[in-house]
Amino acid sequence: MTKINLEKLTTESRNKNSLNIDSVSTLEMVKIINSEDKKVALAVEEELPKIAEAIDGIVEGIHKGGRLIYIGAGTSGRLGVLDASECPPTYGVSDQLVQGIIAGGKEAMFKAKEGAEDSKELAIEDLKALSLSDNDTVVGLAASGRTPYVIGGLEFANKVGALTLSITCNADSEVAKASKISIAPVVGAEVVTGSTRLKSGTAQKLVLNMLSTGAMIKLGKVYGNLMVDVKATNEKLVERAKRIVCEATGIEREEAEQILEETGFDVKLAIFMILSQLNKKDAKKILDENKGYIAEALKEVKD
């Protein structure tokens, strides 16, 4: 078995600011954690140009029929699955458009299957099962930057011709080298040595938020800063849908309810009907021609 040298990994180093975290008061303990957490957003800020490049690449692939696929192990894998699972209700997309794969399968979401991360072949099998194409984007998630499962997945994705991204928290890692775009917010040593579900996990979550949110905005799923493709699948979301229509158009709640009923609670269509003053059929036609971008569709009406 190959010896793994963890000493060179920033994520495995000891944090001098938390050497006595086990002997201070509870308040002091959480102050130490909070002080370290403040460094995360600044580390992510350093990677913004690469994150923007990644978003543009993701959107380009989706316009060609591709998907956004996260692949990871342990905490990193769980964060990918979490981000993917939140896209359909928030943005009204298919659960196939954004997908999360975790080493060890669904069981690994709830119970650690640490050995699964050591297999490159397992990642290849998981991606083959999705019929990976060159229009897809594969995002490898690994705080350490050395996870064999993630490296194997990225290497296979590269052979297929897919866009490959990596999100790690160590500079110049093996995972980063296996990707076309490397996003590596280096957050420094954890308050509990090697516990990468802390700062590293937070950094990965922030980047994932940007990737999926940014892609959805550029896909026309947001008008202004409103979620116009939200699916009204429960009482809270029904109320949110009504509020969004009111906020976007300035109409009263009662009128919003009527138009939402007419559109089958299609928030985007309801907004465009009101703003364009078109009937349902004509509004849907123009909206479809503009790939669901309300702002673009409105330009066509005004012209």
Side-chain angles (χ1 to χ4, degrees):
M1 183 178 291
T2 304
K3 182 181 179 181
I4 300 171
N5 186 354
L6 298 180
E7 294 177 4
K8 294 181 179 179
L9 300 179
T10 304
T11 51
E12 296 291 333
S13 60
R14 292 192 73 185
N15 191 321
K16 294 180 181 179
N17 297 323
S18 62
L19 291 174
N20 65 339
I21 199 168
D22 63 330
S23 58
V24 298
S25 68
T26 305
L27 178 58
E28 186 59 30
M29 176 185 70
V30 294
K31 282 183 176 180
I32 292 171
I33 296 172
N34 181 241
S35 179
E36 290 298 309
D37 284 344
K38 290 175 182 177
K39 301 173 182 178
V40 177
L42 295 175
V44 172
E45 184 179 12
E46 295 292 321
E47 300 299 298
L48 292 181
K50 291 181 179 178
I51 295 171
E53 181 186 358
I55 291 170
D56 288 337
I58 292 166
V59 173
E60 182 180 350
I62 290 175
H63 277 313
K64 295 177 182 177
R67 301 161 294 177
L68 172 58
I69 299 167
Y70 300 128
I71 186 166
T75 297
S76 298
R78 293 184 190 100
L79 288 170
V81 173
L82 172 63
D83 194 82
S85 67
E86 291 175 341
C87 288
T90 308
Y91 298 110
V93 297
S94 161
D95 59 7
Q96 299 298 303
L97 185 68
V98 185
Q99 299 184 45
I101 303 173
I102 182 171
K106 292 182 180 179
E107 289 182 13
M109 279 295 295
F110 306 101
K111 187 176 180 181
K113 289 184 132 184
E114 302 298 348
E117 73 174 49
D118 294 329
S119 172
K120 285 187 175 184
E121 292 73 23
L122 183 59
I124 294 170
E125 289 175 12
D126 288 342
L127 288 174
K128 281 184 176 179
L130 295 181
S131 300
L132 192 71
S133 83
D134 58 359
N135 290 325
D136 293 325
T137 299
V138 176
V139 183
L141 298 158
S144 68
R146 55 149 300 275
T147 310
Y149 178 82
V150 177
I151 295 170
L154 290 172
E155 289 174 344
F156 175 72
N158 284 328
K159 289 179 182 178
V160 171
L163 173 63
T164 52
L165 316 176
S166 62
I167 305 175
T168 66
C169 293
N170 282 304
D172 302 319
S173 67
E174 291 304 308
V175 167
K177 292 172 185 175
S179 65
K180 293 170 185 171
I181 301 175
S182 165
I183 300 168
V186 180
V187 296
E190 302 286 2
V191 293
V192 175
T193 307
S195 183
T196 53
R197 72 186 189 90
L198 299 174
K199 288 192 296 183
S200 295
T202 302
Q204 289 179 93
K205 181 67 170 72
L206 289 177
V207 175
L208 287 169
N209 285 348
M210 289 185 188
L211 291 182
S212 57
T213 302
M216 294 302 150
I217 290 171
K218 295 187 80 74
L219 288 169
K221 304 295 181 181
V222 174
Y223 177 60
N225 60 357
L226 299 171
M227 297 181 290
V228 293
D229 269 323
V230 64
K231 294 299 181 187
T233 53
N234 59 36
E235 290 184 13
K236 180 188 77 173
L237 294 176
V238 166
E239 288 305 309
R240 179 176 290 167
K242 295 174 184 177
R243 192 175 78 249
I244 289 171
V245 172
C246 292
E247 288 279 352
T249 63
I251 65 171
E252 296 299 320
R253 178 186 172 88
E254 293 74 17
E255 187 180 352
E257 289 175 343
Q258 290 175 5
I259 296 178
L260 280 168
E261 290 289 346
E262 183 182 347
T263 64
F265 269 78
D266 185 325
V267 175
K268 179 183 285 182
L269 180 55
I271 291 171
F272 185 58
M273 283 175 63
I274 296 163
L275 295 178
S276 66
Q277 298 185 324
L278 294 171
N279 60 43
K280 179 181 173 181
K281 181 180 178 181
D282 292 341
K284 188 175 188 313
K285 180 175 180 293
I286 293 175
L287 203 51
D288 288 345
E289 289 172 352
N290 286 275
K291 298 181 179 179
Y293 289 83
I294 293 179
E296 293 300 313
L298 284 172
K299 289 178 184 178
E300 186 173 324
V301 174
K302 290 176 181 178
D303 290 344

